[in-house]
Amino acid sequence: MESDELRIGTAEREEAARLLADHFGMGRITPDEYETRVTDAYAATTLGDLRPLFRDLPQPHPGFFGPPPPMYAQPTMYAQPTMQLPMYAPPMPDPYAPPAPVPYAPVPYSYRSKTVAGVLQIVLPFGAGRFYTGQIGLGLLQLFVVLMTGVGMIWPIVDGIMLLNNGGLDAQGRPLRP
């Protein structure tokens, strides 16, 4: 795999150019040498084209060159540790992508029926449908309004029609069965 005829890609060329920039920043090569070597690195097609660019430079060398030569194999007081970088980074998530859809979870229906609740409200207009759905507070309020005022009998009848038309919720917040 470490043959000089092995073809390289853009990632290897960019890693070589980055390491040459590091050597230039440390003063190991002149600006003219840097420009020539980077141009040669981007023009390289094989490992053999990149190796001469680093022959006279100390570590770090590109990680895809393989292990360092034997004279660097044993660490000394002045040797720089080498770190091999992965050739390809894992893909980053797209920050502009829409959020993933949330799977639909159906709400469980109540075991009580909207038809029974609506008919009870209309036939017994003093909150019987609301007592049936488990909404005791609303049922007591309708009972109180009907007993105190005769005109208040309209509210449970309209409420019964609304229950038959649109349905409603039981005391636990579940929709009434159709």
Side-chain angles (χ1 to χ4, degrees), residues 44-115:
T45 57
T46 64
L47 280 176
D49 295 336
L50 286 180
R51 284 192 199 280
L53 302 176
F54 290 91
R55 279 222 171 93
D56 61 340
L57 295 172
Q59 293 290 332
H61 289 177
F64 52 85
F65 277 177
M71 68 178 178
Y72 292 109
Q74 295 178 350
T76 63
M77 183 170 36
Y78 300 106
Q80 293 180 348
T82 59
M83 180 179 85
Q84 289 198 358
L85 299 174
M87 291 187 63
Y88 302 104
M92 296 294 293
D94 184 9
Y96 300 107
V102 178
Y104 173 72
V107 178
Y109 279 108
S110 171
Y111 60 89
R112 295 181 173 127
S113 169
K114 74 176 187 176
T115 307

Side-chain angles (χ1 to χ4, degrees), residues 143-167:
L143 176 63
F144 177 74
V145 169
V146 168
L147 292 179
M148 295 310 243
T149 66
V151 180
M153 190 179 295
I154 295 174
W155 178 24
I157 294 173
V158 171
D159 191 30
I161 294 170
M162 297 289 287
L163 282 171
L164 286 173
N165 240 1
N166 304 330

